[in-house]
């Protein structure tokens, strides 16, 4: 009986370790944040922190701004194609390139219209190979005040 309990305990321990390992592999943390709002240049920077691994693609929504483009940053350095619709930004590489683990400027967004606050939400970052996504911006949207800018929306 004692050996049976030891065997069950070992199996339970292995199962817990396996589940914990798989969870950390499938839901790795990333974050995106709006910074450096510039009403004169009509730009705002999207900063990133990919502390769990390389990123093969990203997508997010921006509210409070009517986007007109995206350029520069780590996405440009990695050769990503970044497409900015009026409120959705999508970035990926046709060649399979990745943005390496780390943090910094992801891209700079340009806009044509503005409201009182700009927010970045519904963020997605994919692992190389596209088999899963990183867990991103779990705390909610990243917002930045646009109070100093003339409102056009």
């Amino acid at each position: 009986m004692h050996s049976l309990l030891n065997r069950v305990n070992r199996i339970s321990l292995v199962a817990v370790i396996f589940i914990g390992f798989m969870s950390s592999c499938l839901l790795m943390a990333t974050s995106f944040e709006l910074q450096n709002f510039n009403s004169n240049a009509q730009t705002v920077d999207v900063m990133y922190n990919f502390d769990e691994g390389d990123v093969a693609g990203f997508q997010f929504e921006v509210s409070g701004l009517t986007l007109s483009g995206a350029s520069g940053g780590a996405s440009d350095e990695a050769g990503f194609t970044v497409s900015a619709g009026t409120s959705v930004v999508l970035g990926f590489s046709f060649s399979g390139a990745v943005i390496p683990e780390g943090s910094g400027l992801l891209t700079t967004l340009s806009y044509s219209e503005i409201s009182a606050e700009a927010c970045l939400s519904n963020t997605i970052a994919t692992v190389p190979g596209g088999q899963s996504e990183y867990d991103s911006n779990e705390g909610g949207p990243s917002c930045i005040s646009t109070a100093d800018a003339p409102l056009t929306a």
Side-chain angles (χ1 to χ4, degrees):
M1 183 68 156
H2 182 61
S3 66
L4 179 61
L5 287 176
N6 281 339
R7 187 177 298 159
V8 168
N9 284 338
R10 277 189 246 136
I11 291 171
S12 296
L13 179 62
V14 168
V16 167
I17 291 171
F18 178 76
I19 290 170
F21 175 75
M22 291 306 293
S23 295
S24 68
C25 288
L26 295 177
L27 290 176
M28 298 182 209
T30 65
S31 64
F32 300 84
E33 182 179 3
L34 293 175
Q35 287 185 7
N36 306 320
F37 177 78
N38 184 328
S39 61
N40 292 327
Q42 292 187 300
T43 61
V44 63
D45 292 338
V46 178
M47 308 305 287
Y48 73 95
N49 182 14
F50 301 155
D51 60 0
E52 296 287 340
D54 299 342
V55 168
F58 59 87
Q59 179 178 325
F60 52 83
E61 292 180 27
V62 178
S63 59
L65 300 174
T66 300
L67 300 177
S68 58
S71 62
S75 55
D76 191 51
E77 292 169 9
F80 273 38
T81 297
V82 180
S83 174
T86 56
S87 64
V88 176
V89 177
L90 174 66
F92 64 95
S93 169
F94 284 106
S95 67
V98 298
I99 297 172
E101 178 179 346
S103 61
L105 174 64
L106 180 64
T107 191
T108 299
L109 302 175
S110 54
Y111 64 88
S112 60
E113 294 183 11
I114 187 171
S115 63
E117 181 178 62
C119 293
L120 186 145
S121 61
N122 297 325
T123 59
I124 298 171
T126 57
V127 301
Q131 296 300 316
S132 62
E133 298 173 0
Y134 293 106
D135 186 22
S136 61
N137 285 36
E138 193 172 289
S142 165
C143 297
I144 190 168
S145 173
T146 61
D148 295 335
L151 302 180
T152 58

